[in-house]
Amino acid sequence: MIDAIKTISAAISTVKDVTSTSSASSAQSILGGAATAGKSQSFAEVMGNMATEMTNGLRQSEVNSIQGIRGEANTREVIDSVMNAEQSLQTAIAIRDKVVSAYLEIARMPI
């Protein structure tokens, strides 16, 4: 699942790099969200950022779970990270469903 999300995130970032200028994209990649504060973001940028944040949350949850199994992490930390990862995953699934629904609705429109 994480590999599929990384693939999507990489594809979105490739599209961002192609569509934006090199100096703006490098500044954005270095500064993250701070470079776009006060400026509007494209849909691809927003979705790419969300995918990246979700992937990082899932990774952190896996790390905390493994540490919990080993007895190196507090149970509360493990539960919090797993619940955050679950919420992120449910959000991503809901967004995916909305995007597919919108696409199907557009596809049904008469030309």
Side-chain angles (χ1 to χ4, degrees), residues 33-70:
T36 58
K39 296 182 182 178
S40 62
Q41 291 182 330
S42 72
F43 182 73
E45 290 172 341
V46 171
M47 297 310 274
N49 290 341
M50 288 177 61
T52 302
E53 289 175 13
M54 186 185 69
T55 304
N56 291 340
L58 291 173
R59 273 196 204 117
Q60 186 61 41
S61 174
E62 288 178 355
V63 168
N64 286 348
S65 296
I66 291 171
Q67 287 177 347
I69 290 170
R70 291 180 186 160

Side-chain angles (χ1 to χ4, degrees), residues 13 16-17 20 22-36 49:
S13 64
K16 282 194 306 188
D17 290 341
S20 64
S22 62
S23 62
S25 65
S26 64
Q28 183 179 6
S29 65
I30 292 170
L31 298 175
T36 58
N49 290 341

Side-chain angles (χ1 to χ4, degrees), residues 78-95:
V78 173
I79 292 172
D80 285 342
S81 65
V82 169
M83 290 181 72
N84 286 337
E86 181 182 3
Q87 184 179 13
S88 296
L89 187 59
Q90 288 176 351
T91 302
I93 290 170
I95 291 171

